């Protein structure tokens, strides 16, 4: 069991690792598609995921973690079951898209770079909440 504050650190690490890996895949795919329009499209993907999904998710989990009565929690309590299921779906779907070439490389470049950036920022925000707890 770990302190509630440590759950924020676990979330930070998990989200930053996920973000880094997704951004890396997107950047590798970007090499043949460098353009202002594609960068703008990645920015739109980032804004969509950050403002409509991940920022709200970070806030929800921060509040949930702070609301635990006991200061000691199991390390996996940094997420709830729904979030673990969403993460498993996203990872599985991402692997399937690349493995079976279900999307063109241009899509991978634009989408993964935007999504990975939003994931990374979620990790940074969890880290901020860990530091300021």
């Amino acid at each position: 069991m770990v302190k509630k504050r440590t759950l924020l650190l676990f979330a930070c690490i998990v989200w930053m690792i996920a973000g880094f890996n997704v951004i890396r895949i997107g950047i590798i795919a970007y090499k043949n598609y460098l353009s202002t329009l594609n960068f703008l499209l990645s920015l739109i993907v980032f804004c969509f995921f950050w403002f409509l999904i991940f920022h709200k998710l970070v806030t929800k989990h921060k509040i949930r973690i702070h609301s635990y009565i006991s200061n000691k929690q199991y390390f996996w309590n940094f997420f709830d079951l729904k979030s673990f299921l969403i993460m498993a779906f996203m990872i599985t779907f991402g692997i399937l898209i690349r493995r079976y070439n279900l999307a063109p490389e241009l899509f991978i470049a634009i989408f993964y770079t935007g999504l990975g950036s939003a994931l990374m920022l979620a990790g940074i925000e969890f880290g901020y909440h860990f530091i300021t707890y």
Side-chain angles (χ1 to χ4, degrees):
M1 304 221 357
V2 298
K3 292 181 180 178
K4 291 191 301 186
R5 179 176 184 253
T6 306
L7 297 176
L8 296 167
L9 178 61
F10 286 153
C12 167
I13 292 167
V14 167
W15 282 87
M16 289 191 72
I17 289 171
F20 174 80
N21 285 323
V22 174
I23 288 172
R24 184 183 57 76
I25 293 166
I27 289 173
I28 290 168
Y30 241 117
K31 66 181 179 256
N32 299 320
Y33 305 102
L34 299 173
S35 75
T36 303
L37 175 61
N38 291 342
F39 289 135
L40 180 60
L41 291 172
S42 288
L43 180 61
I44 290 168
V45 170
F46 164 80
C47 288
F48 172 80
F49 278 99
W50 175 248
F51 291 108
L52 297 179
I53 299 171
F54 294 138
H55 178 64
K56 292 176 183 179
L57 184 135
V58 171
T59 301
K60 177 185 111 172
H61 286 295
K62 177 193 74 153
I63 291 169
R64 182 181 52 76
I65 289 168
H66 282 285
S67 72
Y68 285 140
I69 295 169
S70 172
N71 190 41
K72 294 283 190 165
Q73 296 292 319
Y74 292 106
F75 73 90
W76 58 78
N77 284 343
F78 68 91
F79 272 171
D80 56 13
L81 178 61
K82 179 181 173 185
S83 294
F84 277 114
L85 292 174
I86 290 170
M87 182 179 283
F89 171 79
M90 288 177 64
I91 291 169
T92 302
F93 194 66
I95 291 169
L96 292 174
I97 285 174
R98 290 187 331 279
R99 174 146 173 99
Y100 295 106
N101 296 316
L102 300 176
E105 189 176 46
L106 176 59
F107 173 83
I108 300 294
I110 291 168
F111 187 78
Y112 276 52
T113 304
L115 174 63
S117 298
L119 286 165
M120 183 72 89
L121 187 55
I124 291 168
E125 187 175 358
F126 273 120
Y128 171 79
H129 292 304
F130 167 75
I131 291 168
T132 61
Y133 184 88

